[in-house]
mmCIF file of all heavy atoms in Angstrom:
data_model
loop_
_atom_site.group_PDB
_atom_site.id
_atom_site.type_symbol
_atom_site.label_atom_id
_atom_site.label_comp_id
_atom_site.label_asym_id
_atom_site.label_seq_id
_atom_site.Cartn_x
_atom_site.Cartn_y
_atom_site.Cartn_z
ATOM 1 N N THR B 19 68.473 50.729 -10.124
ATOM 2 C CA THR B 19 69.897 50.605 -10.436
ATOM 3 C C THR B 19 70.417 51.860 -11.146
ATOM 4 O O THR B 19 71.606 51.953 -11.429
ATOM 5 C CB THR B 19 70.140 49.394 -11.349
ATOM 6 O OG1 THR B 19 69.299 49.520 -12.487
ATOM 7 C CG2 THR B 19 69.834 48.104 -10.631
ATOM 8 N N THR B 20 69.522 52.806 -11.425
ATOM 9 C CA THR B 20 69.961 54.027 -12.111
ATOM 10 C C THR B 20 70.479 55.011 -11.075
ATOM 11 O O THR B 20 69.726 55.516 -10.239
ATOM 12 C CB THR B 20 68.785 54.662 -12.859
ATOM 13 O OG1 THR B 20 68.060 53.644 -13.519
ATOM 14 C CG2 THR B 20 69.276 55.698 -13.847
ATOM 15 N N VAL B 21 71.775 55.294 -11.143
ATOM 16 C CA VAL B 21 72.356 56.211 -10.171
ATOM 17 C C VAL B 21 72.132 57.636 -10.665
ATOM 18 O O VAL B 21 72.518 57.991 -11.783
ATOM 19 C CB VAL B 21 73.848 55.925 -9.988
ATOM 20 C CG1 VAL B 21 74.471 56.943 -9.051
ATOM 21 C CG2 VAL B 21 74.036 54.520 -9.451
ATOM 22 N N ILE B 22 71.463 58.434 -9.831
ATOM 23 C CA ILE B 22 71.165 59.812 -10.212
ATOM 24 C C ILE B 22 72.249 60.752 -9.677
ATOM 25 O O ILE B 22 72.670 61.686 -10.340
ATOM 26 C CB ILE B 22 69.790 60.256 -9.663
ATOM 27 C CG1 ILE B 22 68.719 59.221 -10.015
ATOM 28 C CG2 ILE B 22 69.418 61.637 -10.195
ATOM 29 C CD1 ILE B 22 68.400 59.109 -11.465
ATOM 30 N N LEU B 23 72.633 60.511 -8.425
ATOM 31 C CA LEU B 23 73.674 61.314 -7.804
ATOM 32 C C LEU B 23 74.744 60.359 -7.262
ATOM 33 O O LEU B 23 74.420 59.377 -6.614
ATOM 34 C CB LEU B 23 73.106 62.150 -6.653
ATOM 35 C CG LEU B 23 72.161 63.283 -7.064
ATOM 36 C CD1 LEU B 23 71.531 63.893 -5.830
ATOM 37 C CD2 LEU B 23 72.914 64.341 -7.866
ATOM 38 N N ASP B 24 75.998 60.691 -7.569
ATOM 39 C CA ASP B 24 77.064 59.762 -7.221
ATOM 40 C C ASP B 24 78.074 60.448 -6.306
ATOM 41 O O ASP B 24 78.885 61.248 -6.755
ATOM 42 C CB ASP B 24 77.724 59.301 -8.534
ATOM 43 C CG ASP B 24 78.726 58.189 -8.297
ATOM 44 O OD1 ASP B 24 78.759 57.673 -7.154
ATOM 45 O OD2 ASP B 24 79.459 57.860 -9.234
ATOM 46 N N ARG B 25 77.968 60.161 -5.037
ATOM 47 C CA ARG B 25 78.903 60.662 -4.021
ATOM 48 C C ARG B 25 79.129 62.159 -4.150
ATOM 49 O O ARG B 25 80.246 62.616 -4.378
ATOM 50 C CB ARG B 25 80.210 59.897 -4.099
ATOM 51 C CG ARG B 25 79.970 58.385 -4.106
ATOM 52 C CD ARG B 25 81.194 57.631 -3.770
ATOM 53 N NE ARG B 25 81.552 57.867 -2.374
ATOM 54 C CZ ARG B 25 82.255 57.005 -1.648
ATOM 55 N NH1 ARG B 25 82.672 55.867 -2.175
ATOM 56 N NH2 ARG B 25 82.565 57.260 -0.402
ATOM 57 N N VAL B 26 78.065 62.902 -3.994
ATOM 58 C CA VAL B 26 78.131 64.354 -4.121
ATOM 59 C C VAL B 26 78.406 65.003 -2.763
ATOM 60 O O VAL B 26 77.746 64.656 -1.781
ATOM 61 C CB VAL B 26 76.798 64.893 -4.697
ATOM 62 C CG1 VAL B 26 76.759 66.407 -4.613
ATOM 63 C CG2 VAL B 26 76.616 64.420 -6.125
ATOM 64 N N SER B 27 79.365 65.892 -2.730
ATOM 65 C CA SER B 27 79.614 66.667 -1.518
ATOM 66 C C SER B 27 79.678 68.149 -1.861
ATOM 67 O O SER B 27 80.157 68.507 -2.936
ATOM 68 C CB SER B 27 80.926 66.250 -0.860
ATOM 69 O OG SER B 27 80.835 64.940 -0.387
ATOM 70 N N LEU B 28 79.204 68.974 -0.926
ATOM 71 C CA LEU B 28 79.023 70.373 -1.258
ATOM 72 C C LEU B 28 78.740 71.136 0.015
ATOM 73 O O LEU B 28 78.084 70.617 0.916
ATOM 74 C CB LEU B 28 77.796 70.469 -2.164
ATOM 75 C CG LEU B 28 77.480 71.734 -2.903
ATOM 76 C CD1 LEU B 28 78.557 71.976 -3.946
ATOM 77 C CD2 LEU B 28 76.140 71.594 -3.601
ATOM 78 N N ALA B 29 79.245 72.370 0.118
ATOM 79 C CA ALA B 29 78.872 73.187 1.278
ATOM 80 C C ALA B 29 78.489 74.575 0.798
ATOM 81 O O ALA B 29 79.201 75.174 -0.026
ATOM 82 C CB ALA B 29 80.022 73.252 2.264
ATOM 83 N N VAL B 30 77.371 75.062 1.278
ATOM 84 C CA VAL B 30 76.919 76.409 0.930
ATOM 85 C C VAL B 30 76.917 77.221 2.201
ATOM 86 O O VAL B 30 76.165 76.909 3.129
ATOM 87 C CB VAL B 30 75.502 76.373 0.324
ATOM 88 C CG1 VAL B 30 75.061 77.784 -0.031
ATOM 89 C CG2 VAL B 30 75.453 75.471 -0.892
ATOM 90 N N PRO B 31 77.757 78.263 2.283
ATOM 91 C CA PRO B 31 77.789 79.049 3.524
ATOM 92 C C PRO B 31 76.501 79.828 3.706
ATOM 93 O O PRO B 31 75.781 80.100 2.743
ATOM 94 C CB PRO B 31 78.953 80.022 3.300
ATOM 95 C CG PRO B 31 79.642 79.575 2.077
ATOM 96 C CD PRO B 31 78.723 78.712 1.286
ATOM 97 N N ARG B 32 76.240 80.160 4.939
ATOM 98 C CA ARG B 32 75.027 80.885 5.287
ATOM 99 C C ARG B 32 74.983 82.213 4.539
ATOM 100 O O ARG B 32 75.978 82.909 4.444
ATOM 101 C CB ARG B 32 75.006 81.111 6.791
ATOM 102 C CG ARG B 32 73.853 81.952 7.277
ATOM 103 C CD ARG B 32 73.655 81.780 8.755
ATOM 104 N NE ARG B 32 73.162 80.425 9.034
ATOM 105 C CZ ARG B 32 72.850 80.013 10.258
ATOM 106 N NH1 ARG B 32 73.015 80.797 11.280
ATOM 107 N NH2 ARG B 32 72.398 78.801 10.440
ATOM 108 N N GLY B 33 73.817 82.534 3.996
ATOM 109 C CA GLY B 33 73.641 83.829 3.354
ATOM 110 C C GLY B 33 74.126 83.874 1.908
ATOM 111 O O GLY B 33 74.002 84.896 1.240
ATOM 112 N N GLU B 34 74.645 82.782 1.416
ATOM 113 C CA GLU B 34 75.150 82.786 0.051
ATOM 114 C C GLU B 34 74.028 82.534 -0.949
ATOM 115 O O GLU B 34 73.058 81.854 -0.650
ATOM 116 C CB GLU B 34 76.221 81.708 -0.121
ATOM 117 C CG GLU B 34 76.967 81.813 -1.434
ATOM 118 C CD GLU B 34 78.193 80.914 -1.461
ATOM 119 O OE1 GLU B 34 78.032 79.677 -1.318
ATOM 120 O OE2 GLU B 34 79.307 81.423 -1.608
ATOM 121 N N PHE B 35 74.176 83.092 -2.150
ATOM 122 C CA PHE B 35 73.275 82.776 -3.244
ATOM 123 C C PHE B 35 74.019 81.806 -4.145
ATOM 124 O O PHE B 35 75.003 82.155 -4.768
ATOM 125 C CB PHE B 35 72.910 84.058 -4.013
ATOM 126 C CG PHE B 35 71.651 83.931 -4.828
ATOM 127 C CD1 PHE B 35 70.610 84.844 -4.683
ATOM 128 C CD2 PHE B 35 71.504 82.878 -5.732
ATOM 129 C CE1 PHE B 35 69.450 84.713 -5.425
ATOM 130 C CE2 PHE B 35 70.353 82.755 -6.477
ATOM 131 C CZ PHE B 35 69.322 83.657 -6.328
ATOM 132 N N PHE B 36 73.558 80.578 -4.163
ATOM 133 C CA PHE B 36 74.305 79.510 -4.780
ATOM 134 C C PHE B 36 73.499 78.937 -5.939
ATOM 135 O O PHE B 36 72.280 78.863 -5.859
ATOM 136 C CB PHE B 36 74.554 78.414 -3.735
ATOM 137 C CG PHE B 36 75.638 77.438 -4.127
ATOM 138 C CD1 PHE B 36 76.974 77.690 -3.786
ATOM 139 C CD2 PHE B 36 75.339 76.272 -4.801
ATOM 140 C CE1 PHE B 36 77.971 76.790 -4.131
ATOM 141 C CE2 PHE B 36 76.341 75.374 -5.158
ATOM 142 C CZ PHE B 36 77.651 75.626 -4.825
ATOM 143 N N ALA B 37 74.158 78.551 -7.026
ATOM 144 C CA ALA B 37 73.423 77.974 -8.158
ATOM 145 C C ALA B 37 73.895 76.565 -8.437
ATOM 146 O O ALA B 37 75.076 76.263 -8.318
ATOM 147 C CB ALA B 37 73.597 78.844 -9.390
ATOM 148 N N PHE B 38 72.928 75.696 -8.769
ATOM 149 C CA PHE B 38 73.253 74.387 -9.336
ATOM 150 C C PHE B 38 73.060 74.527 -10.835
ATOM 151 O O PHE B 38 71.940 74.798 -11.286
ATOM 152 C CB PHE B 38 72.321 73.278 -8.860
ATOM 153 C CG PHE B 38 72.458 72.921 -7.407
ATOM 154 C CD1 PHE B 38 71.489 72.114 -6.796
ATOM 155 C CD2 PHE B 38 73.548 73.350 -6.658
ATOM 156 C CE1 PHE B 38 71.611 71.772 -5.463
ATOM 157 C CE2 PHE B 38 73.651 73.006 -5.316
ATOM 158 C CZ PHE B 38 72.679 72.222 -4.721
ATOM 159 N N LEU B 39 74.116 74.334 -11.581
ATOM 160 C CA LEU B 39 74.032 74.514 -13.027
ATOM 161 C C LEU B 39 74.366 73.190 -13.699
ATOM 162 O O LEU B 39 75.337 72.525 -13.322
ATOM 163 C CB LEU B 39 75.012 75.598 -13.472
ATOM 164 C CG LEU B 39 75.095 75.873 -14.965
ATOM 165 C CD1 LEU B 39 73.810 76.465 -15.492
ATOM 166 C CD2 LEU B 39 76.265 76.846 -15.247
ATOM 167 N N GLY B 40 73.570 72.816 -14.665
ATOM 168 C CA GLY B 40 73.884 71.589 -15.387
ATOM 169 C C GLY B 40 72.846 71.324 -16.456
ATOM 170 O O GLY B 40 71.767 71.928 -16.431
ATOM 171 N N PRO B 41 73.165 70.469 -17.375
ATOM 172 C CA PRO B 41 72.194 70.120 -18.400
ATOM 173 C C PRO B 41 71.078 69.265 -17.804
ATOM 174 O O PRO B 41 71.191 68.807 -16.656
ATOM 175 C CB PRO B 41 72.995 69.327 -19.419
ATOM 176 C CG PRO B 41 74.123 68.752 -18.637
ATOM 177 C CD PRO B 41 74.416 69.703 -17.534
ATOM 178 N N SER B 42 70.006 69.027 -18.559
ATOM 179 C CA SER B 42 68.952 68.202 -17.984
ATOM 180 C C SER B 42 69.484 66.770 -17.825
ATOM 181 O O SER B 42 70.267 66.294 -18.644
ATOM 182 C CB SER B 42 67.700 68.221 -18.859
ATOM 183 O OG SER B 42 68.027 67.957 -20.186
ATOM 184 N N GLY B 43 69.083 66.143 -16.724
ATOM 185 C CA GLY B 43 69.579 64.810 -16.439
ATOM 186 C C GLY B 43 70.870 64.813 -15.651
ATOM 187 O O GLY B 43 71.431 63.760 -15.369
ATOM 188 N N SER B 44 71.364 66.002 -15.286
ATOM 189 C CA SER B 44 72.645 66.050 -14.581
ATOM 190 C C SER B 44 72.474 65.734 -13.103
ATOM 191 O O SER B 44 73.437 65.474 -12.407
ATOM 192 C CB SER B 44 73.269 67.436 -14.726
ATOM 193 O OG SER B 44 72.392 68.409 -14.189
ATOM 194 N N GLY B 45 71.229 65.774 -12.598
ATOM 195 C CA GLY B 45 70.982 65.464 -11.190
ATOM 196 C C GLY B 45 70.797 66.713 -10.340
ATOM 197 O O GLY B 45 70.561 66.617 -9.139
ATOM 198 N N LYS B 46 70.794 67.893 -10.966
ATOM 199 C CA LYS B 46 70.721 69.115 -10.162
ATOM 200 C C LYS B 46 69.386 69.266 -9.448
ATOM 201 O O LYS B 46 69.345 69.626 -8.271
ATOM 202 C CB LYS B 46 71.001 70.344 -11.042
ATOM 203 C CG LYS B 46 70.045 70.523 -12.228
ATOM 204 C CD LYS B 46 70.507 71.633 -13.138
ATOM 205 C CE LYS B 46 69.479 72.007 -14.200
ATOM 206 N NZ LYS B 46 69.116 70.868 -15.092
ATOM 207 N N THR B 47 68.290 68.945 -10.136
ATOM 208 C CA THR B 47 66.989 69.064 -9.485
ATOM 209 C C THR B 47 66.813 68.005 -8.399
ATOM 210 O O THR B 47 66.275 68.273 -7.334
ATOM 211 C CB THR B 47 65.854 68.954 -10.532
ATOM 212 O OG1 THR B 47 65.986 70.050 -11.437
ATOM 213 C CG2 THR B 47 64.498 69.006 -9.877
ATOM 214 N N THR B 48 67.318 66.812 -8.685
ATOM 215 C CA THR B 48 67.247 65.755 -7.677
ATOM 216 C C THR B 48 67.976 66.176 -6.406
ATOM 217 O O THR B 48 67.481 65.979 -5.287
ATOM 218 C CB THR B 48 67.863 64.469 -8.241
ATOM 219 O OG1 THR B 48 67.211 64.148 -9.454
ATOM 220 C CG2 THR B 48 67.706 63.318 -7.253
ATOM 221 N N LEU B 49 69.138 66.779 -6.581
ATOM 222 C CA LEU B 49 69.910 67.223 -5.409
ATOM 223 C C LEU B 49 69.113 68.257 -4.627
ATOM 224 O O LEU B 49 69.043 68.204 -3.395
ATOM 225 C CB LEU B 49 71.263 67.774 -5.882
ATOM 226 C CG LEU B 49 72.207 68.227 -4.772
ATOM 227 C CD1 LEU B 49 72.457 67.092 -3.778
ATOM 228 C CD2 LEU B 49 73.538 68.708 -5.367
ATOM 229 N N LEU B 50 68.488 69.174 -5.354
ATOM 230 C CA LEU B 50 67.680 70.199 -4.695
ATOM 231 C C LEU B 50 66.540 69.554 -3.908
ATOM 232 O O LEU B 50 66.258 69.919 -2.774
ATOM 233 C CB LEU B 50 67.116 71.160 -5.744
ATOM 234 C CG LEU B 50 66.482 72.420 -5.185
ATOM 235 C CD1 LEU B 50 67.592 73.407 -4.827
ATOM 236 C CD2 LEU B 50 65.550 73.076 -6.201
ATOM 237 N N ARG B 51 65.894 68.557 -4.532
ATOM 238 C CA ARG B 51 64.753 67.905 -3.890
ATOM 239 C C ARG B 51 65.188 67.113 -2.666
ATOM 240 O O ARG B 51 64.451 67.022 -1.682
ATOM 241 C CB ARG B 51 64.013 67.000 -4.895
ATOM 242 C CG ARG B 51 63.260 67.811 -5.970
ATOM 243 C CD ARG B 51 62.709 66.924 -7.075
ATOM 244 N NE ARG B 51 61.850 65.894 -6.506
ATOM 245 C CZ ARG B 51 60.566 66.096 -6.181
ATOM 246 N NH1 ARG B 51 60.024 67.264 -6.401
ATOM 247 N NH2 ARG B 51 59.856 65.132 -5.662
ATOM 248 N N LEU B 52 66.392 66.549 -2.727
ATOM 249 C CA LEU B 52 66.899 65.837 -1.547
ATOM 250 C C LEU B 52 67.088 66.808 -0.394
ATOM 251 O O LEU B 52 66.805 66.478 0.766
ATOM 252 C CB LEU B 52 68.214 65.129 -1.867
ATOM 253 C CG LEU B 52 68.139 63.894 -2.770
ATOM 254 C CD1 LEU B 52 69.498 63.292 -2.947
ATOM 255 C CD2 LEU B 52 67.166 62.868 -2.197
ATOM 256 N N ILE B 53 67.564 68.006 -0.712
ATOM 257 C CA ILE B 53 67.746 68.999 0.356
ATOM 258 C C ILE B 53 66.385 69.373 0.951
ATOM 259 O O ILE B 53 66.235 69.559 2.146
ATOM 260 C CB ILE B 53 68.475 70.236 -0.194
ATOM 261 C CG1 ILE B 53 69.889 69.850 -0.625
ATOM 262 C CG2 ILE B 53 68.513 71.343 0.850
ATOM 263 C CD1 ILE B 53 70.624 70.919 -1.406
#
Side-chain angles (χ1 to χ4, degrees):
Chain B
T19 54
T20 316
V21 176
I22 309 293
L23 291 172
D24 187 10
R25 310 198 67 154
V26 170
S27 293
L28 192 67
V30 180
R32 175 162 291 183
E34 190 169 60
F35 200 127
F36 197 89
F38 292 168
L39 177 66
S42 50
S44 60
K46 59 188 190 300
T47 297
T48 306
L49 182 55
L50 191 79
R51 290 171 56 82
L52 288 182
I53 296 170

